Amino acid sequence: MPFWSLMWVLIDTLFFVAYLVAVFYILWDLFSDSTLNGWWKAVWVIFLIFVPFLTALVYVIARGRGMAERAQRRRGVVPEDDSYRPRASANPASDIARAKELLDSGAISQGEFDAIKNKALTGRY
């Protein structure tokens, strides 16, 4: 078999496998979507059978955002929440006083106290 014929067979195989992966992912997403009723699922499947490439393209364009959200839910990824990040205190004086108490009790060093004081005064955490 000539080299270029082999290359075209490999390229065709690559595109075919990529297309099959996309179609199976669409089917997986379609049947895992609990908000879509059975009739709409049947319509999507029929169109995937008879007009596969165009239907796959339309599905990804029309329902792409939902696909990503459902995939994140299946993996257990939740939207990022900033509530765990430390916030600048409303009263830097109380932060400094609390740090001073810790310094006096020996729980923190002078360097740690200075860092806490600097953060309280500048508001950068």
Side-chain angles (χ1 to χ4, degrees), residues 1-110:
M1 180 178 256
F3 175 74
W4 290 110
S5 296
L6 180 64
M7 286 301 292
W8 281 114
V9 167
L10 290 175
I11 290 171
D12 288 344
T13 304
L14 172 74
F15 283 127
F16 183 69
V17 170
Y19 171 72
L20 284 178
V21 167
V23 167
F24 284 120
Y25 186 75
I26 288 171
L27 287 171
W28 177 273
D29 180 69
L30 189 62
F31 286 105
S32 67
D33 184 8
S34 61
T35 62
L36 198 61
N37 69 24
W39 289 106
W40 281 111
K41 290 178 184 181
V43 168
W44 278 112
V45 170
I46 289 170
F47 274 101
L48 269 173
I49 291 170
F50 290 110
V51 191
F53 183 75
L54 182 63
T55 305
L57 187 63
V58 169
Y59 188 88
V60 170
I61 291 171
R63 298 178 48 89
R65 182 181 304 266
M67 286 175 75
E69 291 170 357
R70 285 185 292 278
Q72 286 179 345
R73 271 185 298 202
R74 279 193 300 269
R75 283 182 296 203
V77 177
V78 294
E80 190 172 315
D81 183 17
D82 287 345
S83 63
Y84 69 92
R85 292 187 181 174
R87 302 268 190 245
S89 176
N91 188 0
S94 66
D95 289 345
I96 295 171
R98 189 178 44 181
K100 180 66 174 157
E101 290 172 9
L102 291 172
L103 176 66
D104 292 341
S105 70
I108 61 173
S109 67
Q110 181 64 42

